[in-house]
Structure formats: C-alpha cells, structure tokens
C-alpha cells in the first residue's frame, strides 16, 4: 500500500558549532555559525524515503521558519523527497505553535504518516510530535529505533526500521525507553518521532542535488493559516551556564588512586 | 492559590526514584503558589504503592485499571488531564524520563497548556513562576515564561533532591472510564536486565566510548568493584557494542553521580551535556588534547586498557589492607 508521508526538516545550528550567548541575553551569537537540517530530522527523512522505496507513495517535506529554511527543504529534496512546503514565519516559535501549524498542514495534506525528529537540537524541547498527536487524536510512537544495530545487514540494505503491517493499516515501531526497547503497533494515520538509532541517513548525490532544484516547493505565510503565532513558551532571557573548573592532570594510576581516595574521597 | 499535579512513574508496582525528585520540585512550586501537591499514580495492581507515596505528604490519586497495565500515552493522558482538572492544578509535571518526556507534552496539548521540558529550577517571584531550562546541549541556560493558564513541565531529576517523608497524605481512588479502542497497542518490552544500579541513580558511573573498541570488560570490572552503573558515549552505542539505554548525553541520559569515570571518550559537547553535573569527573584518554580533559577534575593521559586494570588492582589492594 503506497504511503503518503509528511516529514519535517527544521533549520538549526550545526551541532559542531560553538554556541555563545549575546551579552544582553536576547539570543545567541550567530556570526560564524553554520546551519543545517536538525540531525533527528535527517533520520526522519531517511526513514520516509526507505518506506517510500519499499511501499511506494509520496514524501512531502515541511519546514517552518524564515526564508532561509528553504535550504533545509532543498536538502531533503536532494536526499529524495518529492516536494516541499515552506511555512514562512520570522519571529520566535515554540512546540505549541509549531504543532498547531503542522496540524493545519495535516488537514491540508491528509498524510498516512507524519515523521518528525524526536527533538530539535537548538531548543532541545522534545515536544512537537506529542503535541501534534494529541491535537489530531492520533497515536504517537516517539523515540523510534530498531532492534538491529546500525552496523547490521538490514541497515546496509536500507530496510525501514518502522514496519508496515500486511493489511497496511498500522505500523510496528520499536521505541527507545528507559530500561530497554518497547514495541508498539500504531494505527495509521500515525505520528512517529525518530531517535538516533533508527537509521543512518544517506548523503545527497550530485544528480539528487540537481533534481532538487526543480522539485516544487509551496510557500505559505504562517499568518494566513489562522493559527495564533504568539509563543506560549516565551524566552525571557538566555545566559551561559556556570563553567566547570577542571583541567588537572595526574601522572599515573597510583597518583589518580591517591587523589580519588585522599582528596576527593570518592573511593 | 494553584495546586500542583505530579505524575508518578512505576513499573510492576515499583516506584521509579525519579518521581521523588519530581515531587520535590512540585513542593517548591506549591510553596511559591500556596497550593498543594497532588500525585497521579496510574497502572494495574498498584498494591501498597499509593500508601507509600502518600507518605511523602501528598494527596495520591490512584487509577488502578486493566486498561493502564502497559504505559501508553494515549491511555494515560486523558486520565492525568482528568485528575488535573479535578484538583484544579495550575501546574502539571513529571520527571524528565522517557515516560515523562512522552506523556507530559501530550497531557499539556490536551489541556491547552504550554510545556517546559528538562526544567533545572524556577525563577520569577511569588506565584509568577518562570522555568529555567537548558538549550543547545546545555551550552545555554534559558529562562522561559509559559503564557497559558495551565503550565506543564518535566524536571531533570538530578537538579532536585528526593522528596522527604512527611505527614501521611490522603489516597483517593480514581474511576477510569473505558477509553474504547486506542490508536496504539503495546506489543512487548525487551528489558535490558542488569544487576547494576540504574544509571541515573548510581553513586558512581563508569563510562566508555569509541576508545574501548567494543571491549567494555575492563570498565565493567571497575564498575562492579565500585558498585557502579556503566554508561557510554553515542559512538559506543551506535556501534552496537552496548545497549541504547546506556547512552549519556544531550539526547541520552543525564547523570550527576559522585564519581564519573570517562574512558576512551573524547568529550564532545553532546556527551558533556549529560555528565557535567557530576561531582568528581575522571577522564582516561590516550590523547592529551581531548576536550574531556578541560572539564575533568583528574585527567590521566593513558591507554585505558593499561590504566583501568591497574586502577582495579589498586582499589582491590586498598580494600584488602
Ligand atoms: C544530534 C546529536 C546528538 C548526540 N547526542 C549524543 C549523546 O547524547 N551522547 C553522546 O555521547 N554523544 C552524542 N552525540 C555524538 C557526539 O557528538 C560525539 O560524536 C560522541 O560523543 C563521540 O563519542 P566518543 O567520545 O566515544 O568517540 P570519539 O570522539 O571518537 O572519541 C574516542 C576517544 O577515545 C580515545 N581513545 C582511543 N583509544 C583509546 C585507548 N586505548 N585508551 C584511551 N583512550 C583512547 C581517543 O583519543 C578519543 O578521544 C550526538 C551527536 C549529535 C549530532
Ligand atoms: N520550525 C520547525 N519546522 C519544522 N519542523 C519542526 C520545527 N520545529 C520543530 N520541528 C519538528 O519537531 C521535532 C521536535 O522538535 P522539538 O519539540 O522542538 O524538540 C523536530 O525534530 C522537527 O522534526
């Protein structure tokens, strides 16, 4: 059964970049910072593509943010997604508002499945999928993972970790939770958020990048969707956390042992 | 006066300790608003757990029902939201465990509430509470205001002490309506069985990274000698060397033990985000330039395969004398 999949791609600071807070606490210093697709969203896009390769269907990628988020949409299209939706909004966003916007996109697109990252690595919220599922009254399978490792044969063969039931009506999802892995069946349409061990995302090929330039991207102004865009998680102030004092080196194991026993008293 | 509802986490009638830290956070909030702390306890065959929890000086709302045997957000969220309405909760929260992270945003959405995750502390003044939370892998501390009438949150257990026993509170039974067919069904739970203490609760954590090349034996020996839990970097988990559940970091577990030993771990910011609250940090790494040394209290530039067994021998000898 072909699947129509809506997948999200948020523009975030590169996880390798050094993040510093502006002296006035109103934001972070963006000079010299690189941007890319949220790493968890790359995993979501990869999973969407694998499902499409196996079952057929369509992969629609959505991003909400300033015009520059077009770069992340093009990146997903270059990986193989079919078309994009850019919801333009310049101000601050939060999971409450983002999920309300995605709710509208869901109404418009009526996908069988929404794949999101489990967490944005800028705000570190881990909420949007859960909010969206409740807003739509759908099942949520958060922190999707799989039993096989990222070194396994199934992974080499790019098999989806999320498995469509024979009747095409539900997905079997393995979730990373405290103390192990829990497996759930979730009826379609479903909301799934992706964890790190679900797959290894592919790199875009050169032909993929060329093709992506011609794929359709619809632009929607967020204010036209009838959603209250005022943040409900309003950031009042940012600061840098206290720095940890460290840096002492010991010469050898006997010295380490002596320090841990005598000075730190932790043994 | 606004009441606070904390959702307890249990499995098989055993309380997750993280819940006690969330209750302590709830008590801080209630102190600010002049309200009371209520606890929602959901599951099947809760046995003596309700009374045990009430011993922390809170009112326990126990929902004991066959439909709540296995945790599913779709089954739990309506019950929690129902209790929250019933007690007039202005704040609804839980510990930031996998359970809390999955459930609380769904409850929040149901109540039209905004949610702050991984809360480290509270700001503002009096009943006007703001929430302190980390962003960008702990590089940034944010103070956020939740502008909705009801406010939801998950707390980082390491940032609050465990609640202390108090005057026994009340236990109330909650009638659970049949939810009908749910969109999600529990299939199975593959538990990582371990004799060791839980990572987030251990006094000592011994963690390994890519530098172990997949051989965690020396680290496990050290851990067992110290009664420690074993942790890992993402690289070690991704390689399939150790269970997912062992990952420490921005997107794994956050730990703050008395002693954290990082062996063969470079100290990427995403890893540090999960352990920099530890009291004493030891780093063992071959590369003297590894970033982990900048924050370690005791850094040892050495091959872990030599240094760790040597440390084990030292500790054994020390115990014998
Ligand atoms: C979205 C995202 C989320 C992430 N979340 C997490 C997270 O939650 N937790 C996490 O840990 N990482 C996380 N990471 C990954 C993180 O960025 C690093 O890639 C990872 O922590 C590196 O693991 P490592 O230190 O084991 O490996 P490496 O960086 O490869 O370091 C291995 C170290 O071992 C040393 N070594 C090698 N051999 C020996 C030896 N014989 N004796 C002693 N030392 C030796 C080397 O000198 C080196 O310093 C995340 C990354 C992203 C993008
Ligand atoms: N502005 C956005 N545009 C597109 N997707 C988003 C946006 N914000 C959050 N998401 C999605 O929601 C997931 C969880 O984000 P969060 O709850 O903010 O941590 C992310 O991995 C994204 O897939």
């Amino acid at each position: 059964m072909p699947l129509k999949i809506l997948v999200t791609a948020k523009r975030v600071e590169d996880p390798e970049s050094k993040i510093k807070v502006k002296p006035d606490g109103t934001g972070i210093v963006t000079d010299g910072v690189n941007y890319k697709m949220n790493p968890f969203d790359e995993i979501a896009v990869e999973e969407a593509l694998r499902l499409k390769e196996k079952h057929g269907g369509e992969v629609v990628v959505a991003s909400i943010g300033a015009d520059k988020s077009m770069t992340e949409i093009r990146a997903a299209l270059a990986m193989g997604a079919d078309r994009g939706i850019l919801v333009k909004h310049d101000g601050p966003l939060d999971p409450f508002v983002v999920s309300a916007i995605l709710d509208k996109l869901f109404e418009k697109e009526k996908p069988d499945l929404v794949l999101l990252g489990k967490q944005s690595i800028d705000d570190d919220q881990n909420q949007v999928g859960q909010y969206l599922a409740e807003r739509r009254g759908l099942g949520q399978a958060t922190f999707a993972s799989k039993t096989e490792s990222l070194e396994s044969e199934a992974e080499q063969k790019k098999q989806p970790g999320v498995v469509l039931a024979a009747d095409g009506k539900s997905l079997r999802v393995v979730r990373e939770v405290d103390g192990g892995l829990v497996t759930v069946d979730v009826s379609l349409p479903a909301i799934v958020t992706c964890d790190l061990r679900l797959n290894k995302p592919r790199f875009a090929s050169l032909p993929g990048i060329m093709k992506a330039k011609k794929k359709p991207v619809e632009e929607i102004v967020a204010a036209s969707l009838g959603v209250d865009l005022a943040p409900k998680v309003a950031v009042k102030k940012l600061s840098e956390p206290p720095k940890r004092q460290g840096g002492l080196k010991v010469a050898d194991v006997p010295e380490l042992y002596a320090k841990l026993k005598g000075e730190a008293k932790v043994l | 006066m606004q009441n606070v509802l904390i959702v307890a986490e249990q499995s098989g009638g055993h309380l997750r300790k993280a819940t006690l830290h969330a209750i302590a956070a709830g008590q801080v909030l209630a102190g600010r608003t002049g309200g009371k702390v209520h606890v929602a306890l959901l599951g099947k065959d809760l046995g003596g757990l309700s009374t045990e929890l009430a011993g922390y000086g809170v009112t326990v709302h126990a929902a004991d029902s066959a439909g709540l045997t296995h945790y599913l957000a779709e089954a739990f969220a309506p019950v929690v939201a129902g209790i929250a309405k019933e007690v007039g909760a202005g704040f609804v929260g839980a510990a930031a465990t996998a359970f809390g992270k999955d459930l609380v945003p769904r409850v929040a959405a149901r109540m039209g509430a905004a949610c702050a995750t991984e809360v480290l502390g509270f700001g503002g003044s009096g009943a006007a509470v703001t929430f302190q939370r980390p962003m960008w892998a702990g590089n940034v501390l944010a103070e956020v205001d939740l502008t909705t009438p009801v406010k939801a949150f998950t707390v980082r257990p390491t940032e609050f002490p465990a609640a202390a026993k108090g005057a026994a509170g009340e236990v109330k039974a909650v009638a659970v309506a049949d939810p009908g067919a749910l969109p999600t069904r529990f299939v199975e739970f593959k538990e990582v069985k371990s004799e060791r203490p839980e990572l987030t609760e251990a006094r000592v954590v011994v963690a390994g990274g890519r530098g172990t090349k997949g051989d965690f034996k020396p680290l496990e020996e050290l851990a067992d000698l110290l009664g420690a839990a074993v942790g890992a970097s993402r690289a070690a988990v991704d390689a399939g060397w150790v269970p997912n559940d062992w990952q420490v970091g921005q997107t794994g577990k956050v730990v703050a033990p008395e002693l954290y030993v990082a062996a063969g771990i470079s100290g990427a910011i995403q890893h540090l985000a999960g352990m920099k609250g530890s009291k004493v940090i030891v780093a063992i790494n071959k590369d003297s330039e590894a970033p982990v040394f900048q924050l370690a209290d005791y850094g040892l530039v050495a091959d872990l395969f030599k240094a760790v067994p040597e440390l084990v021998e030292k500790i054994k000898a020390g115990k014998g004398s």
Side-chain angles (χ1 to χ4, degrees), chain A residues 13 122 124-125 131 134 138 140 142 179 181 183 185 187 197 234 236-237 239 244 247-248 250 263, chain B residues 74 102 113 117 133 136 141 143 145 183 185 187-188 190 192 238 245 247 278 296-299:
Chain A
E13 288 73 22
D122 49 2
D124 283 331
Q125 298 282 8
Y131 264 83
E134 175 62 31
L138 296 175
Q140 70 188 48
T142 54
L181 295 170
T183 305
D185 283 338
S187 303
R197 254 78 56 180
K236 298 187 72 172
K237 191 173 180 278
S239 57
R244 197 192 162 92
L248 187 85
V250 293
E263 192 174 89
Chain B
E74 296 79 356
D102 185 59
T117 50
R133 57 178 309 275
W136 286 279
L141 201 61
E143 185 177 352
D145 194 9
R185 287 150 314 269
V187 178
E188 63 171 341
K190 277 213 184 77
V192 183
D238 277 6
D245 188 45
Q247 181 177 312
S278 307
D297 300 288
Y298 305 108

Tab-separated table of all heavy atoms in Angstrom, chain A residues 13 122 124-125 131 134 138 140 142 179 181 183 185 187 197 234 236-237 239 244 247-248 250 263, chain B residues 74 102 113 117 133 136 141 143 145 183 185 187-188 190 192 238 245 247 278 296-299:
chain	number	residue	atom	x	y	z
A	13	GLU	N	21.276	25.274	14.222
A	13	GLU	CA	22.721	25.481	14.254
A	13	GLU	C	23.397	24.116	14.120
A	13	GLU	O	22.943	23.128	14.703
A	13	GLU	CB	23.146	26.130	15.585
A	13	GLU	CG	22.750	27.588	15.718
A	13	GLU	CD	21.261	27.788	15.962
A	13	GLU	OE1	20.593	26.850	16.425
A	13	GLU	OE2	20.755	28.898	15.654
A	122	ASP	N	18.448	22.677	18.888
A	122	ASP	CA	18.673	24.056	19.356
A	122	ASP	C	17.917	24.289	20.674
A	122	ASP	O	18.516	24.501	21.718
A	122	ASP	CB	18.314	25.089	18.275
A	122	ASP	CG	16.951	24.855	17.639
A	122	ASP	OD1	16.239	23.925	18.046
A	122	ASP	OD2	16.589	25.635	16.723
A	124	ASP	N	16.106	21.994	22.196
A	124	ASP	CA	16.050	20.741	22.966
A	124	ASP	C	14.705	20.523	23.666
A	124	ASP	O	14.659	20.175	24.840
A	124	ASP	CB	17.193	20.693	24.013
A	124	ASP	CG	18.531	20.347	23.379
A	124	ASP	OD1	18.543	19.644	22.358
A	124	ASP	OD2	19.576	20.779	23.916
A	125	GLN	N	13.608	20.734	22.931
A	125	GLN	CA	12.279	20.647	23.560
A	125	GLN	C	11.747	19.229	23.678
A	125	GLN	O	11.254	18.835	24.721
A	125	GLN	CB	11.271	21.483	22.762
A	125	GLN	CG	11.575	22.961	22.708
A	125	GLN	CD	11.188	23.686	23.973
A	125	GLN	OE1	10.816	23.068	24.970
A	125	GLN	NE2	11.289	24.992	23.969
A	131	TYR	N	2.584	16.777	20.893
A	131	TYR	CA	1.513	17.775	20.765
A	131	TYR	C	0.668	17.503	19.526
A	131	TYR	O	-0.559	17.560	19.559
A	131	TYR	CB	2.106	19.188	20.657
A	131	TYR	CG	2.175	19.948	21.960
A	131	TYR	CD1	3.223	19.743	22.840
A	131	TYR	CD2	1.195	20.877	22.312
A	131	TYR	CE1	3.315	20.443	24.031
A	131	TYR	CE2	1.270	21.580	23.500
A	131	TYR	CZ	2.330	21.365	24.360
A	131	TYR	OH	2.406	22.060	25.538
A	134	GLU	N	-1.724	14.545	19.909
A	134	GLU	CA	-2.901	14.843	20.734
A	134	GLU	C	-3.844	15.799	19.997
A	134	GLU	O	-5.062	15.611	20.015
A	134	GLU	CB	-2.468	15.439	22.077
A	134	GLU	CG	-3.612	15.900	22.972
A	134	GLU	CD	-4.570	14.784	23.401
A	134	GLU	OE1	-4.118	13.630	23.537
A	134	GLU	OE2	-5.775	15.076	23.594
A	138	LEU	N	-4.447	11.254	17.327
A	138	LEU	CA	-3.806	10.087	16.705
A	138	LEU	C	-2.831	9.418	17.670
A	138	LEU	O	-2.457	9.983	18.689
A	138	LEU	CB	-3.049	10.526	15.450
A	138	LEU	CG	-3.908	11.101	14.325
A	138	LEU	CD1	-3.021	11.605	13.195
A	138	LEU	CD2	-4.899	10.064	13.812
A	140	GLN	N	0.758	8.080	18.954
A	140	GLN	CA	2.124	8.595	18.862
A	140	GLN	C	3.099	7.463	19.170
A	140	GLN	O	2.920	6.726	20.129
A	140	GLN	CB	2.340	9.763	19.833
A	140	GLN	CG	2.368	9.367	21.316
A	140	GLN	CD	2.396	10.577	22.241
A	140	GLN	OE1	1.619	11.527	22.081
A	140	GLN	NE2	3.290	10.557	23.218
A	142	THR	N	6.844	7.690	19.852
A	142	THR	CA	8.004	8.578	19.968
A	142	THR	C	9.276	7.749	20.099
A	142	THR	O	9.235	6.576	20.457
A	142	THR	CB	7.872	9.478	21.205
A	142	THR	OG1	7.655	8.647	22.340
A	142	THR	CG2	6.716	10.454	21.064
A	179	GLY	N	15.479	1.590	30.290
A	179	GLY	CA	15.494	0.182	30.664
A	179	GLY	C	15.342	-0.793	29.516
A	179	GLY	O	15.340	-2.000	29.740
A	181	LEU	N	13.818	-1.635	25.214
A	181	LEU	CA	13.091	-1.271	23.998
A	181	LEU	C	11.656	-1.766	24.109
A	181	LEU	O	11.423	-2.923	24.432
A	181	LEU	CB	13.749	-1.926	22.775
A	181	LEU	CG	15.174	-1.486	22.425
A	181	LEU	CD1	15.763	-2.393	21.354
A	181	LEU	CD2	15.178	-0.042	21.943
A	183	THR	N	7.997	-2.291	22.087
A	183	THR	CA	7.423	-2.353	20.739
A	183	THR	C	5.936	-2.027	20.823
A	183	THR	O	5.238	-2.546	21.696
A	183	THR	CB	7.602	-3.764	20.148
A	183	THR	OG1	8.988	-4.088	20.195
A	183	THR	CG2	7.121	-3.827	18.705
A	185	ASP	N	2.256	-1.177	18.283
A	185	ASP	CA	1.593	-1.063	16.986
A	185	ASP	C	0.792	0.221	17.014
A	185	ASP	O	0.073	0.468	17.984
A	185	ASP	CB	0.647	-2.242	16.755
A	185	ASP	CG	1.409	-3.501	16.364
A	185	ASP	OD1	2.552	-3.370	15.884
A	185	ASP	OD2	0.854	-4.607	16.543
A	187	SER	N	-1.906	2.638	14.786
A	187	SER	CA	-2.786	2.691	13.613
A	187	SER	C	-2.459	3.895	12.752
A	187	SER	O	-2.102	4.956	13.269
A	187	SER	CB	-4.240	2.807	14.055
A	187	SER	OG	-4.589	1.736	14.884
A	197	ARG	N	19.060	5.853	16.668
A	197	ARG	CA	19.439	4.524	16.166
A	197	ARG	C	18.451	3.963	15.162
A	197	ARG	O	18.441	2.774	14.904
A	197	ARG	CB	19.614	3.556	17.334
A	197	ARG	CG	21.055	3.215	17.663
A	197	ARG	CD	21.781	4.244	18.430
A	197	ARG	NE	21.129	4.597	19.672
A	197	ARG	CZ	21.607	5.499	20.506
A	197	ARG	NH1	22.720	6.152	20.247
A	197	ARG	NH2	20.957	5.789	21.607
A	234	ALA	N	7.607	31.488	26.142
A	234	ALA	CA	8.262	32.748	25.813
A	234	ALA	C	9.630	32.817	26.495
A	234	ALA	O	9.713	32.748	27.725
A	234	ALA	CB	7.387	33.908	26.253
A	236	LYS	N	12.518	34.552	28.063
A	236	LYS	CA	12.721	35.880	28.652
A	236	LYS	C	14.187	36.267	28.602
A	236	LYS	O	14.532	37.418	28.400
A	236	LYS	CB	12.247	35.879	30.109
A	236	LYS	CG	10.762	35.585	30.231
A	236	LYS	CD	10.283	35.768	31.646
A	236	LYS	CE	10.248	37.247	32.018
A	236	LYS	NZ	9.596	37.456	33.320
A	237	LYS	N	15.056	35.290	28.812
A	237	LYS	CA	16.467	35.625	28.914
A	237	LYS	C	17.322	34.388	28.692
A	237	LYS	O	16.975	33.298	29.134
A	237	LYS	CB	16.733	36.166	30.326
A	237	LYS	CG	18.080	36.801	30.508
A	237	LYS	CD	18.147	37.458	31.886
A	237	LYS	CE	19.482	38.112	32.112
A	237	LYS	NZ	20.560	37.338	32.526
A	239	SER	N	21.334	32.863	29.186
A	239	SER	CA	22.626	33.131	29.829
A	239	SER	C	23.526	31.920	29.629
A	239	SER	O	23.071	30.863	29.180
A	239	SER	CB	22.437	33.428	31.313
A	239	SER	OG	21.772	32.346	31.939
A	244	ARG	N	32.507	24.729	34.472
A	244	ARG	CA	33.083	23.794	35.421
A	244	ARG	C	34.595	23.987	35.460
A	244	ARG	O	35.236	24.110	34.425
A	244	ARG	CB	32.745	22.381	34.962
A	244	ARG	CG	32.917	21.366	36.043
A	244	ARG	CD	32.857	19.959	35.507
A	244	ARG	NE	33.450	19.102	36.502
A	244	ARG	CZ	32.772	18.499	37.449
A	244	ARG	NH1	31.472	18.619	37.498
A	244	ARG	NH2	33.400	17.766	38.351
A	247	GLY	N	40.647	20.419	34.508
A	247	GLY	CA	41.903	20.583	33.793
A	247	GLY	C	43.121	20.040	34.505
A	247	GLY	O	44.227	20.103	33.970
A	248	LEU	N	42.954	19.512	35.711
A	248	LEU	CA	44.106	18.966	36.422
A	248	LEU	C	44.487	17.608	35.847
A	248	LEU	O	43.623	16.778	35.602
A	248	LEU	CB	43.759	18.816	37.911
A	248	LEU	CG	44.932	18.414	38.795
A	248	LEU	CD1	45.724	19.654	39.214
A	248	LEU	CD2	44.457	17.649	40.015
A	250	VAL	N	46.850	14.056	36.262
A	250	VAL	CA	47.654	13.238	37.169
A	250	VAL	C	48.654	12.453	36.328
A	250	VAL	O	48.415	12.207	35.145
A	250	VAL	CB	46.787	12.280	38.018
A	250	VAL	CG1	45.920	13.051	38.990
A	250	VAL	CG2	45.921	11.391	37.124
A	263	GLU	N	41.949	12.960	48.432
A	263	GLU	CA	41.473	14.322	48.196
A	263	GLU	C	39.968	14.353	47.924
A	263	GLU	O	39.209	15.059	48.593
A	263	GLU	CB	42.245	14.888	46.996
A	263	GLU	CG	42.093	16.368	46.769
A	263	GLU	CD	43.024	16.817	45.652
A	263	GLU	OE1	42.599	16.768	44.483
A	263	GLU	OE2	44.175	17.191	45.943
B	74	GLU	N	-1.568	7.494	24.994
B	74	GLU	CA	-2.968	7.681	24.581
B	74	GLU	C	-3.938	7.262	25.683
B	74	GLU	O	-5.032	7.803	25.785
B	74	GLU	CB	-3.250	6.867	23.311
B	74	GLU	CG	-2.451	7.316	22.089
B	74	GLU	CD	-1.011	6.798	22.083
B	74	GLU	OE1	-0.593	6.139	23.077
B	74	GLU	OE2	-0.292	7.071	21.116
B	102	ASP	N	7.502	11.515	27.037
B	102	ASP	CA	6.486	11.055	26.096
B	102	ASP	C	5.109	11.542	26.510
B	102	ASP	O	4.306	11.963	25.679
B	102	ASP	CB	6.510	9.516	26.061
B	102	ASP	CG	5.564	8.936	25.023
B	102	ASP	OD1	5.733	9.264	23.836
B	102	ASP	OD2	4.663	8.153	25.392
B	113	ALA	N	-2.194	23.627	27.475
B	113	ALA	CA	-1.088	24.165	28.269
B	113	ALA	C	0.205	24.165	27.468
B	113	ALA	O	0.430	23.276	26.649
B	113	ALA	CB	-0.903	23.320	29.526
B	117	THR	N	10.375	21.624	29.119
B	117	THR	CA	10.976	20.311	29.380
B	117	THR	C	12.347	20.443	30.036
B	117	THR	O	13.029	21.448	29.879
B	117	THR	CB	11.101	19.510	28.074
B	117	THR	OG1	11.715	20.327	27.081
B	117	THR	CG2	9.741	19.072	27.564
B	133	ARG	N	15.669	26.262	31.931
B	133	ARG	CA	15.907	25.008	31.203
B	133	ARG	C	17.106	25.149	30.262
B	133	ARG	O	17.433	26.244	29.812
B	133	ARG	CB	14.652	24.560	30.451
B	133	ARG	CG	14.094	25.573	29.448
B	133	ARG	CD	12.880	25.027	28.718
B	133	ARG	NE	13.144	23.713	28.139
B	133	ARG	CZ	13.717	23.517	26.946
B	133	ARG	NH1	14.047	24.536	26.182
B	133	ARG	NH2	13.942	22.305	26.505
B	136	TRP	N	20.589	24.129	23.446
B	136	TRP	CA	21.846	23.889	22.728
B	136	TRP	C	22.789	22.988	23.528
B	136	TRP	O	23.911	23.372	23.858
B	136	TRP	CB	22.535	25.214	22.376
B	136	TRP	CG	21.874	25.946	21.248
B	136	TRP	CD1	22.026	25.707	19.908
B	136	TRP	CD2	20.963	27.060	21.340
B	136	TRP	NE1	21.246	26.582	19.180
B	136	TRP	CE2	20.600	27.427	20.038
B	136	TRP	CE3	20.411	27.759	22.414
B	136	TRP	CZ2	19.717	28.466	19.764
B	136	TRP	CZ3	19.538	28.793	22.142
B	136	TRP	CH2	19.206	29.137	20.832
B	141	LEU	N	21.571	28.523	29.048
B	141	LEU	CA	20.556	28.395	30.083
B	141	LEU	C	19.459	29.396	29.732
B	141	LEU	O	19.741	30.575	29.563
B	141	LEU	CB	21.205	28.774	31.412
B	141	LEU	CG	20.576	28.292	32.685
B	141	LEU	CD1	20.557	26.784	32.719
B	141	LEU	CD2	21.366	28.835	33.866
B	143	GLU	N	15.644	31.197	30.518
B	143	GLU	CA	14.545	31.408	31.461
B	143	GLU	C	13.301	31.602	30.614
B	143	GLU	O	13.253	32.504	29.773
B	143	GLU	CB	14.813	32.638	32.317
B	143	GLU	CG	13.759	32.812	33.382
B	143	GLU	CD	14.034	33.998	34.302
B	143	GLU	OE1	15.120	34.604	34.202
B	143	GLU	OE2	13.149	34.312	35.108
B	145	ASP	N	8.924	31.714	30.142
B	145	ASP	CA	7.651	32.012	30.749
B	145	ASP	C	6.614	31.190	29.980
B	145	ASP	O	6.628	31.199	28.759
B	145	ASP	CB	7.401	33.515	30.532
B	145	ASP	CG	6.281	34.035	31.401
B	145	ASP	OD1	5.832	33.283	32.273
B	145	ASP	OD2	5.866	35.191	31.177
B	183	PRO	N	-5.535	4.075	19.491
B	183	PRO	CA	-4.792	4.020	18.237
B	183	PRO	C	-3.443	3.300	18.380
B	183	PRO	O	-2.802	2.989	17.374
B	183	PRO	CB	-4.580	5.496	17.880
B	183	PRO	CG	-4.678	6.232	19.173
B	183	PRO	CD	-5.620	5.453	20.032
B	185	ARG	N	-1.168	0.146	20.430
B	185	ARG	CA	-1.251	-1.081	21.223
B	185	ARG	C	0.137	-1.531	21.644
B	185	ARG	O	1.069	-1.520	20.839
B	185	ARG	CB	-1.951	-2.188	20.419
B	185	ARG	CG	-3.446	-1.932	20.289
B	185	ARG	CD	-4.086	-2.478	19.032
B	185	ARG	NE	-3.388	-2.232	17.795
B	185	ARG	CZ	-3.579	-1.171	17.000
B	185	ARG	NH1	-4.426	-0.215	17.340
B	185	ARG	NH2	-2.912	-1.044	15.874
B	187	VAL	N	2.976	-4.114	22.390
B	187	VAL	CA	3.303	-5.440	21.869
B	187	VAL	C	4.239	-6.177	22.828
B	187	VAL	O	3.934	-7.244	23.309
B	187	VAL	CB	3.919	-5.364	20.457
B	187	VAL	CG1	4.296	-6.754	19.957
B	187	VAL	CG2	2.950	-4.686	19.488
B	188	GLU	N	5.399	-5.574	23.103
B	188	GLU	CA	6.313	-6.228	24.051
B	188	GLU	C	7.342	-5.230	24.588
B	188	GLU	O	7.542	-4.156	24.019
B	188	GLU	CB	7.058	-7.391	23.384
B	188	GLU	CG	7.957	-6.945	22.251
B	188	GLU	CD	8.870	-8.060	21.734
B	188	GLU	OE1	9.074	-9.060	22.446
B	188	GLU	OE2	9.382	-7.911	20.619
B	190	LYS	N	11.318	-5.342	25.680
B	190	LYS	CA	12.580	-6.072	25.815
B	190	LYS	C	13.432	-5.314	26.816
B	190	LYS	O	14.009	-4.286	26.502
B	190	LYS	CB	13.310	-6.116	24.462
B	190	LYS	CG	12.837	-7.212	23.553
B	190	LYS	CD	14.010	-7.733	22.710
B	190	LYS	CE	13.531	-8.766	21.706
B	190	LYS	NZ	12.862	-8.143	20.544
B	192	VAL	N	16.495	-4.515	29.264
B	192	VAL	CA	17.921	-4.775	29.436
B	192	VAL	C	18.104	-5.117	30.901
B	192	VAL	O	18.051	-4.245	31.763
B	192	VAL	CB	18.753	-3.528	29.086
B	192	VAL	CG1	20.240	-3.826	29.182
B	192	VAL	CG2	18.411	-3.021	27.695
B	238	ASP	N	25.993	3.504	19.135
B	238	ASP	CA	25.697	3.399	17.700
B	238	ASP	C	26.390	2.189	17.078
B	238	ASP	O	25.861	1.548	16.177
B	238	ASP	CB	26.153	4.655	16.947
B	238	ASP	CG	25.130	5.779	17.040
B	238	ASP	OD1	24.139	5.614	17.780
B	238	ASP	OD2	25.313	6.809	16.362
B	245	ASP	N	20.235	2.085	26.057
B	245	ASP	CA	19.871	2.593	27.362
B	245	ASP	C	21.072	3.138	28.147
B	245	ASP	O	20.922	3.831	29.135
B	245	ASP	CB	19.257	1.388	28.094
B	245	ASP	CG	18.646	1.740	29.410
B	245	ASP	OD1	17.946	2.749	29.445
B	245	ASP	OD2	18.898	1.022	30.390
B	247	GLN	N	23.374	5.200	26.887
B	247	GLN	CA	23.895	6.467	26.353
B	247	GLN	C	23.707	7.630	27.317
B	247	GLN	O	22.614	7.907	27.791
B	247	GLN	CB	23.226	6.812	25.027
B	247	GLN	CG	23.770	8.117	24.438
B	247	GLN	CD	23.162	8.433	23.087
B	247	GLN	OE1	23.099	7.564	22.219
B	247	GLN	NE2	22.711	9.661	22.913
B	278	SER	N	28.286	16.007	37.340
B	278	SER	CA	28.866	15.027	38.272
B	278	SER	C	29.783	15.744	39.258
B	278	SER	O	30.408	16.743	38.928
B	278	SER	CB	29.675	13.980	37.507
B	278	SER	OG	28.893	13.403	36.491
B	296	ALA	N	37.579	17.694	33.280
B	296	ALA	CA	37.833	16.624	34.251
B	296	ALA	C	38.584	17.166	35.466
B	296	ALA	O	39.470	18.002	35.340
B	296	ALA	CB	38.632	15.510	33.597
B	297	ASP	N	38.217	16.678	36.650
B	297	ASP	CA	38.942	17.056	37.857
B	297	ASP	C	40.284	16.350	37.897
B	297	ASP	O	41.265	16.892	38.380
B	297	ASP	CB	38.122	16.672	39.092
B	297	ASP	CG	36.785	17.367	39.106
B	297	ASP	OD1	36.777	18.583	39.339
B	297	ASP	OD2	35.761	16.719	38.839
B	298	TYR	N	40.288	15.117	37.410
B	298	TYR	CA	41.530	14.343	37.351
B	298	TYR	C	41.654	13.717	35.977
B	298	TYR	O	40.870	12.828	35.622
B	298	TYR	CB	41.537	13.255	38.429
B	298	TYR	CG	41.318	13.799	39.825
B	298	TYR	CD1	40.128	13.580	40.500
B	298	TYR	CD2	42.310	14.565	40.444
B	298	TYR	CE1	39.919	14.104	41.767
B	298	TYR	CE2	42.109	15.085	41.715
B	298	TYR	CZ	40.916	14.865	42.362
B	298	TYR	OH	40.707	15.388	43.618
B	299	GLY	N	42.589	14.188	35.192
B	299	GLY	CA	42.792	13.647	33.857
B	299	GLY	C	44.030	12.769	33.840
B	299	GLY	O	45.065	13.119	34.404
